[in-house]
Amino acid sequence: MDHRNPDTWTPEFAREIERVREYVATLHADLPRWGLVVWTAGNVSQRVRGEAEDGSQDLLVIKPSGVSYDDLSPEAMVVCDLDGNLVLGEGSPSSDTAAHAYVYRHMSEVGGVVHTHSTYATAWAARGEEIPCVLTMMGDEFGGPVPVGPFALIGDDSIGRGIVDTLRESRSPAVLMRNHGPFTIGRDARAAVKAAVMVEEVAKTVHVARAGGPLVSIEQHHIDSLYDRYQNVYGQH
Ligand SMILES: [Zn+2]
């Protein structure tokens, strides 16, 4: 089976692709529901693992470019290889596909990527300012501040490289790309959507907090125990 040629897919692999297209279509509805996107901005993708250990046969499922959130059916989701080439689907993949693909190529543990221009998180990105870790929920979810990535323009690997270089140095699943907006990662697309919702929430709360007076920091050892408890104990049954 050549993963890049749908004609050679086994019935099992074809079913897995259909399942992920449905899943990714459903998750896109969460972006307008949580107020993270306007017009056609924003996108969710998920990795589909191929047989090769090194990930060279992996694919990704993402939203097509310029399509309204009202028209995001499972059939509308496009399938690409990790070089961003279209493998299956109508229309051109999201213009952010190269950035998503770069993350999947360089972070093998990542199974989902989300990008939005959500208002408060993007406002921190516009200032090039990291969100300081001043809430226990930030300790839980981000394990520290939400970092800022470099300024990068669409068209080559610079956005993807900026995301990967920044997140490798951080416990945060979210990066604020400078003058642009948040990119988030997760073990699957749902975890990346959750991180996109949470980064907007904390960006808003810390903004409102600072408007009322100076922020109070949390000691590093408390951040460490919040993160450790939440990541290793909470929610696992
Ligand atoms: Zn963008």
Side-chain angles (χ1 to χ4, degrees):
M1 172 168 80
D2 174 4
H3 290 75
R4 295 176 197 212
N5 179 0
D7 294 337
T8 70
W9 290 352
T10 63
E12 292 74 29
F13 191 76
R15 269 197 297 277
E16 173 66 2
I17 290 285
E18 289 320 300
R19 190 188 68 75
V20 175
R21 282 173 110 185
E22 208 174 301
Y23 190 57
V24 170
T26 305
L27 283 167
H28 270 98
D30 282 342
L31 303 188
R33 181 181 305 136
W34 292 101
L36 304 181
V37 291
V38 296
W39 199 238
T40 65
N43 36 69
V44 178
S45 72
Q46 180 156 301
R47 184 201 296 266
V48 182
R49 294 191 189 274
E51 283 152 0
E53 285 277 325
D54 64 357
S56 60
Q57 292 275 306
D58 290 2
L59 301 176
L60 68 89
V61 175
I62 194 167
K63 168 176 167 283
S65 182
V67 174
S68 158
Y69 277 85
D70 294 330
D71 300 324
L72 291 178
S73 61
E75 304 74 48
M77 298 298 116
V78 296
V79 183
C80 296
D81 66 22
L82 293 195
D83 293 318
N85 302 307
L86 185 68
V87 168
L88 181 70
E90 310 267 319
S92 51
S94 161
S95 49
D96 295 310
T97 301
H100 290 239
Y102 187 96
V103 173
Y104 292 125
R105 287 204 308 275
H106 292 87
M107 301 179 93
S108 59
E109 71 283 13
V110 171
V113 178
V114 171
H115 172 49
T116 79
H117 300 153
S118 65
T119 306
Y120 284 86
T122 302
W124 287 85
R127 292 194 302 271
E129 184 180 2
E130 70 173 22
I131 308 174
C133 186
V134 290
L135 301 167
T136 57
M137 69 185 283
M138 291 189 71
D140 290 342
E141 298 282 348
F142 302 100
V146 178
V148 174
F151 178 81
L153 290 175
I154 215 158
D156 57 18
D157 275 344
S158 57
I159 295 179
R161 200 178 321 116
I163 296 166
V164 169
D165 289 351
T166 308
L167 291 182
R168 273 200 183 133
E169 301 295 311
S170 170
R171 291 194 289 210
S172 170
V175 50
L176 307 172
M177 291 299 284
R178 189 161 68 80
N179 302 99
H180 185 172
F183 281 80
T184 60
I185 57 171
R187 68 187 173 282
D188 59 15
R190 186 171 182 276
V193 170
K194 183 189 178 195
V197 173
M198 299 309 281
V199 75
E200 178 62 7
E201 178 70 5
V202 302
K204 183 177 180 178
T205 304
V206 178
H207 174 81
V208 171
R210 197 166 63 178
L215 300 172
V216 181
S217 57
I218 303 175
E219 288 177 47
Q220 186 61 46
H221 70 100
H222 286 141
I223 294 172
D224 291 344
S225 58
L226 284 164
Y227 184 72
D228 193 56
R229 176 192 147 276
Y230 191 78
Q231 300 297 322
N232 296 311
V233 182
Y234 178 80
Q236 282 188 11
H237 300 286

